[in-house]
Amino acid sequence: MTLFEREQQACKIIDSMRQELIGIAKYLHENPELGQEEYKAVAKINEFFESKQFQTEIGLTDCPELKTAMRADAVGIHLVKDDTALADTAGAQSEVSTAEGITVTDVADITATGTVDGQMDDASEIYKMAFLGEYDALPGLGHGCGHNLIALMSMGAAVAFACVAGSNWQTTFFGCPAEETIGGKVYMAEEGLFKGYEAALIIHPGGDNEIGGTSLATHPLEVTYHGRSAHIASLTDSGINALDCAVDLYQAVKELKKTFPPHAIVGTIFTKAGEAPNVVPDTATLRMTVRGGTVEDLENIILPAIKKEAQRIADEYEATVDMHHYEPLFKDMRQDPRLLQIFGQTMMEFGKRPRVLPDDEADGSTDVGNVSYEIPTAQPTLSIGSGLEAHTPEFACAAGSDFGFEQAIKGAKIMAITALRFAHYCVNTNTK
């Protein structure tokens, strides 16, 4: 079977699951669950994969943060056995033919009208492909980041890839919890769940079609000062004002930011600042979202400077200070150039010409970055509405719209074809 035929069949398989996939995405949208509480979502997705004869597991490892994580493995499941299964693929062909005027180069030159079956799945090695799904929602906004559509796309792509990739390819759908809070993929990476995979694929819905760019590394920090309480008008004991310490740190960080590397961001709030104005506060707490362009900048320059200044201020006031990270380290995104090239080519074939972002352009942070430090990873953006901004009521509405669902079906096809083309590359370049 040629690679082109596999791509056609993958699209046909996704089309055959269209209503089922959209039904699950609608269910997730109508039943939004916060991170680490996604029990309905996991049950529904698990049921879907069991119906496709995948081997499933919920609550990966003994790590408590992964209680709503899941995986579905299609080891040895290949529903397309021979060319007789390829009849009547015309409905899918129109969506994967090469767009006019596109120059195909290098890795993306795998549109494959002549590729023979042996070049894809008769190699001596076993390869593995990962598809990353998300399903947590936002407080008060529901699926204002479109994770219900991320689930749809990765579910459809995983099944289609497993059916047509060939006997040397194993397929895993990873259900990744709590992207908006603790970052389930952080713990999944730490537990070694992504080791041994050739690549991890995910598409994020957005307000434009984009490939490339990066994400900011982030490691949120909480700083608590402990002083000594006293009456504000006492003539014998002025106490130690913890709030003064916190305010000084707030001001000092504003100045420090001028010395930080490019792309550094620090946002600060006070979460505890005293109980009564006539009492010297003995405790004051700040929470900071601290972000850098790279893990190295964040961990070796930005955070050490803030912590050093926090300690200096405590010493100056004769107070004590506690510092801890209240969320884990989200690493910056390292997009794999080969995957990006194939994604970009495939998106154009579907009429989704993407904007190519500079390598250092970052918009927010994601735990997908931690996966990208383990294996080749790419996360393009697929538009579900022009100019939409994530984490807004408008985005939540679009994530539950008919147009959003149809775009996600196309996204599943784009991801499946990208995975097939990258699989062809892996086998033919012997990446093992």
Side-chain angles (χ1 to χ4, degrees):
M1 190 191 310
T2 68
L3 178 55
F4 182 73
E5 289 171 329
R6 294 178 197 270
E7 293 173 6
Q8 300 302 310
Q9 188 65 7
C11 289
K12 184 180 179 184
I13 290 167
I14 291 169
D15 279 334
S16 74
M17 300 185 294
R18 176 187 301 269
Q19 293 308 314
E20 191 175 8
L21 290 168
I22 290 175
I24 293 170
K26 284 183 177 179
Y27 178 84
L28 299 186
H29 193 269
E30 293 167 0
N31 296 272
E33 299 168 297
L34 302 182
Q36 296 189 287
E37 300 175 6
E38 313 101 317
Y39 299 107
K40 292 180 181 179
V42 169
K44 181 66 71 172
I45 294 170
N46 188 73
E47 179 184 3
F48 168 82
F49 278 109
E50 285 185 338
S51 74
K52 310 302 178 192
Q53 289 79 53
F54 278 59
Q55 300 171 10
T56 64
E57 180 184 0
I58 298 174
L60 308 181
T61 79
D62 294 328
C63 180
E65 288 82 5
L66 298 181
K67 62 184 178 181
T68 53
M70 67 163 293
R71 66 183 295 161
D73 294 295
V75 179
I77 297 175
H78 304 289
L79 303 187
V80 178
K81 298 298 184 182
D82 53 50
D83 289 345
T84 62
L86 296 175
D88 191 27
T89 59
Q93 284 180 343
S94 62
E95 286 200 316
V96 297
S97 59
T98 303
E100 183 179 357
I102 295 172
T103 301
V104 184
T105 59
D106 194 30
V107 177
D109 193 10
I110 315 173
T111 48
T113 54
T115 303
V116 296
D117 184 63
Q119 288 177 291
M120 178 109 175
D121 63 1
D122 280 349
S124 59
E125 299 286 352
I126 296 296
Y127 299 82
K128 299 194 294 183
M129 190 72 71
F131 299 86
L132 308 181
E134 297 173 359
Y135 33 70
D136 62 315
L138 293 160
L141 282 177
H143 279 286
C145 204
H147 291 187
N148 61 316
L149 301 182
I150 293 177
L152 183 164
M153 289 186 277
S154 292
M155 291 164 65
V159 172
F161 180 84
C163 289
V164 304
S167 58
N168 282 83
W169 281 91
Q170 298 176 2
T171 308
T172 301
F173 168 88
F174 282 106
C176 309
E179 191 275 338
E180 299 290 354
T181 53
I182 63 165
K185 299 180 202 68
V186 174
Y187 299 94
M188 296 169 80
E190 289 176 353
E191 293 288 319
L193 296 179
F194 302 116
K195 292 187 182 302
Y197 287 84
E198 306 310 314
L201 285 73
I202 182 172
I203 297 178
H204 204 293
D208 199 358
N209 300 307
E210 297 174 336
I211 61 169
T214 183
S215 65
L216 295 174
T218 179
H219 206 177
L221 179 68
E222 182 175 86
V223 179
T224 299
Y225 285 101
H226 302 282
R228 188 177 70 253
S229 181
H231 193 282
I232 199 73
S234 173
L235 298 177
T236 59
D237 184 6
S238 59
I240 298 175
N241 194 318
L243 181 57
D244 283 350
C245 296
V247 169
D248 282 7
L249 179 60
Y250 181 90
Q251 295 291 350
V253 169
K254 288 177 65 177
E255 293 302 311
L256 276 176
K257 285 193 288 187
K258 299 174 183 178
T259 70
F260 289 156
H263 309 298
I265 296 173
V266 184
T268 307
I269 62 169
F270 293 85
T271 59
K272 189 169 185 179
E275 303 296 333
N278 63 341
V279 177
V280 173
D282 63 350
T283 305
T285 300
L286 309 92
R287 278 197 164 190
M288 304 179 183
T289 177
V290 187
R291 309 188 188 207
T294 65
V295 169
E296 290 76 15
D297 284 351
L298 180 64
E299 298 292 290
N300 299 333
I301 300 174
I302 301 168
L303 281 167
I306 292 173
K307 292 176 181 179
K308 181 179 179 181
E309 187 65 14
Q311 185 63 59
R312 183 195 67 77
I313 291 170
D315 294 342
E316 179 182 328
Y317 281 86
E318 298 184 344
T320 59
V321 62
D322 296 326
M323 291 175 269
H324 79 279
H325 295 283
Y326 61 92
E327 289 180 3
L329 170 65
F330 282 32
K331 297 180 180 180
D332 52 297
M333 183 75 170
R334 293 179 169 178
Q335 305 256 25
D336 182 81
R338 295 185 183 93
L339 280 172
L340 286 181
Q341 188 176 16
I342 300 171
F343 256 126
Q345 168 69 28
T346 308
M347 290 172 75
M348 287 192 288
E349 291 170 16
F350 278 79
K352 309 296 180 185
R353 185 175 294 272
R355 183 167 70 98
V356 180
L357 304 179
D359 290 343
D360 62 350
E361 182 172 322
D363 182 11
S365 303
T366 174
D367 59 0
V368 180
N370 295 60
V371 184
S372 74
Y373 270 69
E374 301 292 322
I375 56 175
T377 305
Q379 179 177 248
T381 300
L382 184 67
S383 175
I384 61 169
S386 179
L388 285 172
E389 291 288 342
H391 292 215
T392 62
E394 293 78 13
F395 200 98
C397 183
S401 69
D402 290 342
F403 181 73
F405 295 138
E406 289 305 316
Q407 290 295 91
I409 291 294
K410 290 182 180 180
K413 294 176 182 179
I414 289 168
M415 193 187 307
I417 291 171
T418 297
L420 287 167
R421 294 178 180 182
F422 190 76
H424 175 277
Y425 167 81
C426 290
V427 171
N428 285 272
T429 55
N430 192 22
T431 60
K432 284 292 184 182

